[in-house]
Amino acid sequence: MGFGPDGWGYSLLAATGMTVAVAVCGFLVGAMLGCLGAAASFSRFRALRSAADIYTTLLRGIPDLLVIYLFYFGSSSLISSVGALFGAEGFVGAPAFLTGALAIGVVSGAYQMQVFRGAVLALPKGEIEAGRAYGMPPLLLFRRIVLPQAARFAIPGVGNVWQLVLKESALISVIGLVELMRQAQIGAGSTRQPFSFYLTAGVLYLLITFVSGRGFKLAEQRAMRGIRRAV
């Protein structure tokens, strides 16, 4: 586990950085999809509300590993088919980082959508009605009243989703991305010391979750400080 020529320290740290990178990318993709899905769930158009319901039902009902496989092999088959049109032969694998981050993002988006939707529903209806009575257009109403308070209510739930995304990033090792879990497997197989490598990986995962959890906690405390003063 050292950092010398024969150590695995640098490799594990690099793999930890890869884990954080894919988790952050997947989380951001999920946040965008979650916002769009939450907006669709409040739409006056029935088709959009139905699409949002189908999205959450499917993605929360299918195992995350299966979603990763579908994204990877589906996109790889598409790339191979396009390549065959230009004379390329054989199977062409899709970029593991890109497909893994997209798969995690699509899955986390279904959960973040419910978090954002619950945050909007937690808003006092009187404030929204007061904004409409004042003559605020929908966009201004959203920017001045809905968004600031919904973001405050959503922080705890979003923090929980982030923890799930971080753990789901370990599943991407099945499509060849060398992140923390995959690097631990490689080191365990090469040195025949699986306990040491998996224990180290567990400690690194806990360190990431602790630091990020503290960050979300501080963000929550900062967002709620106005309410505490008012109380």
Side-chain angles (χ1 to χ4, degrees):
M1 294 300 171
F3 290 90
D6 298 328
W8 290 81
Y10 291 114
S11 298
L12 288 171
L13 288 180
T16 302
M18 180 63 70
T19 293
V20 173
V22 71
V24 169
C25 291
F27 181 78
L28 294 177
V29 170
M32 291 187 291
L33 293 176
C35 289
L36 293 175
S41 67
F42 290 108
S43 175
R44 66 177 184 271
F45 299 106
R46 184 176 180 180
L48 291 178
R49 296 197 305 269
S50 299
D53 290 338
I54 293 173
Y55 169 60
T56 56
T57 301
L58 287 178
L59 271 300
R60 290 191 299 170
I62 298 176
D64 299 343
L65 183 59
L66 178 57
V67 175
I68 294 174
Y69 277 136
L70 290 175
F71 265 77
Y72 179 73
F73 290 108
S75 57
S76 297
S77 298
L78 179 61
I79 294 173
S80 299
S81 299
V82 173
L85 297 176
F86 295 94
E89 298 180 357
F91 178 80
V92 180
F97 183 93
L98 179 60
T99 53
L102 287 176
I104 289 178
V106 169
V107 173
S108 69
Y111 293 94
Q112 294 193 61
M113 171 186 160
Q114 295 300 324
V115 172
F116 297 145
R117 186 173 183 274
V120 174
L121 291 175
L123 298 179
K125 294 182 179 180
E127 296 186 10
I128 298 177
E129 293 174 355
R132 290 173 179 170
Y134 187 74
M136 284 186 176
L139 185 59
L140 182 61
L141 180 68
F142 174 79
R143 185 167 60 89
R144 291 286 184 85
I145 297 179
V146 176
L147 181 59
Q149 298 189 78
R152 180 186 298 129
F153 293 138
I155 290 176
V158 169
N160 290 332
V161 175
W162 161 253
Q163 304 289 356
L164 293 175
V165 169
L166 186 61
K167 290 188 291 185
E168 287 173 354
S169 65
L171 299 175
I172 303 180
S173 61
V174 300
I175 58 176
L177 184 68
V178 183
E179 40 70 63
L180 181 55
M181 189 64 187
R182 179 59 179 165
Q183 189 63 63
Q185 292 175 337
I186 294 173
S190 299
T191 62
R192 296 183 181 180
Q193 297 179 6
F195 181 78
S196 299
F197 277 89
Y198 290 134
L199 179 61
T200 303
V203 171
L204 290 173
Y205 275 116
L206 285 175
L207 180 62
I208 298 171
T209 56
F210 175 77
V211 172
S212 57
R214 289 296 301 169
F216 277 104
K217 188 67 175 179
L218 292 175
E220 181 184 357
Q221 291 176 352
R222 183 176 179 82
M224 298 295 289
R225 63 181 180 176
I227 295 178
R228 292 194 179 97
R229 288 176 183 175
V231 174

